[in-house]
């Protein structure tokens, strides 16, 4: 629930002339356009916005404001819709989509930033009027003025479930999460209300960018120096980039570095650290798209004199992997990881399984409102099949690392337990030493043997990983 100060826009040469001529704010128009694409086309805000900002030459403080308004509004959509519904006297779902985009953008500014009420209302009314005319813009004006009469906390007090009757529902509403996701986090955190609040609060903030320095090509120290960032706390290859566009860095453009959450880096690091006895140099990434972990594993394999096979079922995503692993000892296979046609005998196998993505909601602002509990059972079935196949492909003495970007117990410990009950000759080993480094010890990662990272604990995505060894 952070507050953000509006900045004055830079002069017209940094704005899109089309919108300047119409007298509309290009920053808010950019945010509106991305929000509309998210609603109408299921676009991903974190992929579309940077491209749009470059095309419209929105830079500096204007770009920072556009990013905050876009991501913040998308992240808060369910909370904002509840407030809009109350102020409009009818469900947000019944409001014309184009007006709803503007109302969400305006109400976010009113409730969750330090932008003045007049600026938030007037710019929203101007946008509505330019496209929809006087009548609809009058509706927007009336709703936003009613919303502006109370601050965020007063709206929460009125609309949230009672803390006494429904702790999870109250916290989920307060920190703009669907209730069912709050319940998932609550269970994964041992039903601790304090931990749940901390997790939801961390998930409600926009994280800084994490870079990965690819081993053998650049060190984290060198990447930090040329990017102006700071070396990561946990992964030896991580650099924190507090501001700036990572796509503009030469190291990223040239493939020496990439953008990858530190938690995801630790999954690849864990696989490379596993004790497999004499490593025969056969490594496998069974679910390799879109290629971030494959690129890091490929670099680690290159340093170790090993070779990585990377499996991806989608031809398009396989092409993306080919681009990021160019020059590395990696072979990309377009195949279904459940039956990839590969010969068993791999020393190290990563199963970074398709999942609900509940662990990366802070980096994918609209994702929390797209997922539903019904999405999970089919994913669990797939995860079990992939892990079972990985255990078939690994050699005796080799290690499989199973990971998900989700803390959902059904996708994590329950998948591992179910497969262990069905497949003979497999031992779960303590994954904590494979992740722990100089900054923190294994005990700080909980009782084990698996590892569950959290934004509020490690400031990473909520990555889960377990290590299994074939006897």
């Amino acid at each position: 629930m952070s507050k953000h100060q509006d900045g004055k826009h830079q002069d017209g040469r940094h704005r899109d002339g089309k919108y300047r001529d119409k007298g509309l704010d290009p920053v808010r128009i950019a945010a509106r356009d991305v929000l509309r694409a998210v609603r109408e086309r299921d676009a991903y805000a974190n992929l579309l916005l940077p491209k749009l900002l470059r095309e419209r030459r929105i830079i500096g403080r204007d770009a920072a404001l556009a990013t905050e308004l876009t991501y913040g509004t998308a992240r808060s959509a369910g909370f904002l819709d509840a407030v809009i519904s109350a102020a409009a006297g009818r469900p947000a779902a019944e409001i014309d989509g184009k007006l709803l985009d503007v109302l969400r953008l305006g109400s976010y500014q009113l409730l969750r930033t330090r932008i003045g009420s007049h600026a938030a209302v007037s710019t929203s009314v101007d946008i509505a009027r330019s496209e929809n005319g006087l009548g609809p813009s009058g509706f927007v004006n009336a709703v936003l003025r009613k919303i502006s009469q109370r601050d965020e906390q007063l709206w929460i007090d009125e609309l949230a479930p009672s803390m006494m009757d429904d702790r999870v529902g109250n916290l989920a509403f307060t920190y703009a999460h669907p209730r069912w996701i709050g319940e998932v986090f609550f269970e994964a955190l041992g039903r601790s209300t304090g931990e749940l609040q901390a997790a939801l609060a961390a998930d409600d903030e926009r994280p800084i960018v994490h870079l990965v320095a690819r081993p053998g090509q650049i060190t984290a120290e060198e990447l930090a120096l040329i990017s102006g960032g700071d070396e990561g706390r946990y992964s030896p290859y991580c650099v924190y980039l507090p501001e700036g566009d990572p796509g503009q860095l030469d190291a990223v453009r040239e493939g020496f570095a990439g953008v990858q959450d530190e938690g995801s880096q630790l999954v690849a690091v864990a696989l490379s650290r596993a004790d497999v006895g004499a490593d025969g140099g056969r490594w496998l990434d069974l679910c390799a798209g879109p290629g971030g972990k494959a690129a890091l594993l490929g670099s680690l394999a290159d340093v170790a004199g090993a070779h990585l096979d990377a499996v991806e079922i989608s031809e398009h995503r396989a092409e993306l992997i080919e681009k990021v692993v160019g020059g590395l000892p990696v072979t990309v296979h377009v195949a279904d990881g459940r039956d990839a046609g590969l010969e068993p005998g791999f020393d190290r196998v990563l199963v970074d399984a398709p999942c609900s993505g509940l662990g990366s909601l802070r980096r994918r602002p609209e994702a929390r409102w797209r997922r539903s509990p019904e999405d999970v059972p089919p994913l669990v079935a797939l995860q079990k099949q992939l892990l079972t196949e990985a255990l078939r492909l690994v050699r005796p003495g080799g290690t499989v690392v199973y990971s998900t970007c989700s803390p959902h117990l059904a996708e994590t410990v329950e998948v591992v337990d179910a497969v262990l009950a069905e497949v003979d000759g497999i031992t779960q080993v303590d994954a904590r030493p494979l992740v722990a480094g100089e900054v923190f010890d294994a005990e700080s990662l909980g009782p084990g043997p698996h590892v569950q990272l959290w934004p509020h604990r490690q400031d990473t995505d909520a990555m889960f990983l377990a290590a299994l060894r074939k006897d």
Side-chain angles (χ1 to χ4, degrees), residues 16-26 29 32-33 56:
D16 182 41
K18 174 183 176 184
Y19 294 117
R20 185 184 63 234
D21 292 343
K22 292 172 65 176
L24 299 177
D25 176 16
I29 286 293
R32 189 277 314 270
D33 288 349
R56 298 185 183 178

Side-chain angles (χ1 to χ4, degrees), residues 1-2 35 68-84 104 107-109 111-113 152 172-178 203-205 365-369:
M1 294 193 298
S2 59
L35 293 171
E68 171 56 35
L69 295 183
T70 304
Y71 293 172
T73 302
R75 189 178 294 115
S76 308
F79 164 74
L80 298 175
D81 284 358
V83 175
I84 291 167
R104 286 172 173 171
S107 56
Y108 178 77
Q109 294 171 72
L111 300 177
R112 308 196 93 189
T113 76
E152 180 184 20
F173 186 88
T174 299
Y175 294 100
H177 285 69
D203 219 26
D204 200 30
E205 296 289 338
E366 70 287 328
R368 68 189 65 180
W369 308 110

Side-chain angles (χ1 to χ4, degrees), residues 399-410:
T399 295
V400 172
V401 167
Y402 171 79
S403 70
T404 63
C405 189
S406 169
H408 200 314
L409 294 177

